[in-house]
C-alpha cells in the first residue's frame, strides 16, 4: 500500500509504503486499549537509543517539539541568540523563537555542501550566543566535530537537527551523538516515518530527565507510570507542554525501524545511479557528489541548477512532460514573509543562490529502476 495511489503524481518525490507488519503492529496496539504514551513508546525509545548509540532517547510528538525542548535544555531564553542555518526547514529557527530567543542565520559553504558553514558560525558568535544548531542536510553529516570544538571553546551548546539523519554517520559514529541534544523527525517523508513524531537523543542524564518532564506538562510522573502503579502521585515542577508520542505511532515506528537499514541501502544505491547519470549533464550540479554515500541516510536527492531563473520552469517541465514531482529543499528561512522584515539586512549569498536553484528529485526505497530511469531522462529532456 502506498500514498501514491489515486490522484498523486506518477512519480512522487517521496512515497511512504506501509507494510502488512506495520498494520499488524498498529492493530495489535489498538486492540490493547492503551493508546497514549506507554510501554510501546518506552520500548521504541530503548530501540532508538541503541540504534544511534546514545544513552537516552525521549520520544516526542515532532522534531519541532524536540528542537524546542533541546533549546530550552541548552538554557535558551529571552535575549539569547542561537546560530542556525537558513537553508533548512523553518522549524530549526522557529523553535528558537518559542524559547524567547533570536535565531542568527549562518550561511552554507557552497554548492557542494549545503550544511552549515563553521567559519560563518564562528564569525556570528557574540556574548549572547547560547547555542549552535547544525542540520545534517539531506542526511549528509554536518561538520559536528569542528562545531563541537568551536562550541566547547566558547562555552556554548551544540544542538543537532538530525531530522534528515537516522542512519547517517561521521567517523563511524551515528550523527545525533555529537551535540548536547539531537532531534530526529518521523514526519511522513522522512527515512523513518509515521506521519508525525520525533525523538530527542542525548547522553546527558539531566537533559534527558528534564525533556521527559517538559514533554508531559512538567509533571514528575506520566499516565502509564501511574496506571501501572509505579507511582500514584505527581507534581508539576515547571511549565511544560503536551509533546508526547502515542502508542500506535510508537508501534508503527518499531515495525519500520526493523527495515530501516535495508531501505537506506536501497536509497544509497539509487543515489549512486543518480550521481553517475546526472553529473555528466550540463546545466546542473550534484551536491555531495564526492561524499561517501555509505555515511549518508539518503533522505533526499538535491540537485542545483546553474540558472537561478530556471527553477520554476524546470520543475513545471518535469511535472507536465514526465509526471515527475519535485520539491525545493529549501526556500531560505530569512526570506519568508514572517522573517523578511526583521532580517532585511542579512545577506547569505550561498544560501540565497541555493534556494533559487535547488530542486529535490524523487528518492525513496521502493523507487524502481524503471521509474528512476524515467526521472533521469525527464531531467535530461527538461534541461533543454
Ligand atoms: C531539518 C528539519 N528540521 C526540523 C523539521 C521538523 O520536523 P517535524 O515535522 O517532525 O516537526 C524538519 C522537517 O519536517 C526538517 O526537515
Amino acid at each position: 500500500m502506498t500514498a501514491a495511489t489515486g490522484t498523486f503524481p506518477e512519480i512522487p518525490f517521496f512515497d511512504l509504503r506501509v507494510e502488512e507488519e506495520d498494520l499488524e503492529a498498529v492493530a495489535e496496539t489498538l486492540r490493547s486499549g492503551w493508546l497514549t504514551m506507554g510501554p510501546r513508546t518506552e520500548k521504541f525509545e530503548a530501540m532508538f537509543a541503541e540504534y544511534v548509540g546514545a544513552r537516552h532517547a525521549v520520544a516526542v510528538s515532532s522534531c519541532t517539539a524536540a528542537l524546542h525542548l533541546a533549546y530550552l535544555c541548552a538554557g535558551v531564553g529571552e535575549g539569547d541568540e542561537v546560530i542556525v542555518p537558513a537553508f533548512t526547514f523553518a522549524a530549526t529557527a522557529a523553535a528558537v523563537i518559542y524559547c524567547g530567543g533570536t535565531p542568527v542565520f549562518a550561511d552554507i559553504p557552497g554548492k557542494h555542501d549545503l550544511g552549515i558553514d563553521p567559519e560563518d558560525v564562528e564569525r556570528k558568535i557574540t556574548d549572547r550566543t547560547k547555542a549552535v544548531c547544525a542540520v545534517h542536510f539531506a542526511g549528509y553529516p554536518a561538520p559536528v566535530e569542528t562545531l563541537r570544538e568551536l562550541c566547547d571553546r566558547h562555552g556554548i551548546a551544540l544542538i543537532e537537527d538530525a531530522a534528515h539523519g537516522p542512519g547517517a554517520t561521521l567517523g563511524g559514529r551515528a550523527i545525533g551523538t555529537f551535540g548536547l541534544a539531537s532531534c530526529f523527525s518521523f514526519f511522513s517523508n522522512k527515512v523513518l516515518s509515521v506521519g508525525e513524531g520525533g525523538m530527542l537523543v542525548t547522553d546527558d542524564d539531566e537533559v534527558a530527565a528534564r525533556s521527559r518532564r517538559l514533554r508531559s506538562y512538567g509533571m514528575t510522573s506520566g499516565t502509564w507510570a501511574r496506571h501501572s502503579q509505579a507511582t500514584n502521585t505527581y507534581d508539576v515542577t515547571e511549565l511544560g507542554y503536551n509533546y508526547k508520542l502515542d502508542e500506535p505511532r510508537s508501534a508503527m515506528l518499531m515495525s519500520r525501524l526493523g527495515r530501516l537499514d535495508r531501505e537506506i541501502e536501497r536509497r544509497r544505491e539509487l543515489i549512486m545511479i543518480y550521481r553517475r547519470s546526472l553529473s555528466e549533464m550540463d546545466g546542473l550540479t550534484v551536491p555531495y557528489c564526492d561524499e561517501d554515500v555509505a555515511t549518508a541516510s539518503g533522505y533526499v536527492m538535491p540537485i542545483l541548477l546553474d540558472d537561478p531563473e530556471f527553477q520554476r520552469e524546470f520543475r513545471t517541465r518535469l511535472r507536465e512532460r514526465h509526471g515527475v514531482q519535485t520539491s525545493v529543499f529549501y526556500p531560505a528561512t530569512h526570506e519568508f514573509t514572517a522573517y523578511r522584515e526583521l532580517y532585511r539586512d542579512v545577506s547569505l549569498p550561498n544560501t540565497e543562490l541555493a534556494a533559487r536553484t535547488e530542486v529535490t528529485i524523487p528518492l525513496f526505497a521502493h523507487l524502481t529502476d524503471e521509474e528512476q530511469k524515467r526521472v533521469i531522462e525527464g531531467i535530461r529532456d527538461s534541461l533543454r
Side-chain angles (χ1 to χ4, degrees), residues 7-54:
T7 57
F8 286 78
E10 279 176 65
I11 308 182
F13 85 91
F14 86 93
D15 194 36
L16 192 161
R17 177 176 277 176
V18 177
E19 302 286 0
E20 270 313 307
E21 58 186 356
D22 305 334
L23 295 176
E24 193 38 55
V26 174
E28 186 275 327
T29 306
L30 296 178
R31 279 187 221 107
S32 80
W34 189 268
L35 301 187
T36 186
M37 189 171 73
R40 290 169 191 78
T41 313
E42 276 175 23
K43 192 167 169 204
F44 174 55
E45 288 178 335
M47 284 170 72
F48 197 81
E50 193 185 335
Y51 182 77
V52 295

Side-chain angles (χ1 to χ4, degrees), residues 135-258:
V135 175
H136 300 282
F137 189 91
Y140 289 99
V144 273
E145 284 168 322
T146 309
L147 287 168
R148 179 70 194 258
E149 189 273 319
L150 181 65
C151 288
D152 287 350
R153 198 153 26 89
H154 289 270
I156 57 182
L158 174 66
I159 304 297
E160 289 175 72
D161 181 337
H164 301 179
T169 55
L170 182 66
R173 189 167 144 193
I175 61 113
T177 58
F178 293 83
L180 174 69
S182 304
C183 308
F184 291 84
S185 174
F186 308 130
F187 176 66
S188 292
N189 70 9
K190 299 296 189 278
V191 288
L192 180 62
S193 53
V194 71
E196 304 288 349
M199 190 70 85
L200 183 148
V201 162
T202 183
D203 280 341
D204 185 299
D205 296 347
E206 179 43 36
V207 169
R210 187 162 176 228
S211 306
R212 288 187 195 287
R213 288 193 302 273
L214 286 175
R215 77 170 161 185
S216 189
Y217 321 97
M219 286 162 66
T220 49
S221 74
T223 313
W224 174 250
R226 290 194 303 283
H227 178 80
S228 56
Q229 300 187 337
T231 173
N232 59 9
T233 60
Y234 68 86
D235 188 14
V236 173
T237 52
E238 65 177 314
L239 178 70
Y241 307 87
N242 181 356
Y243 283 167
K244 300 189 295 295
L245 186 73
D246 61 26
E247 289 279 284
R249 283 183 288 176
S250 302
M252 181 161 158
L253 283 161
M254 277 192 278
S255 165
R256 298 180 70 79
L257 186 58

Side-chain angles (χ1 to χ4, degrees), residues 62-64 67 88-89 91-92 135 161 163-164 185 187 190 197 330:
S62 68
C63 178
T64 309
L67 285 163
T88 173
F89 185 63
T92 316
V135 175
D161 181 337
H164 301 179
S185 174
F187 176 66
K190 299 296 189 278
Y330 289 98

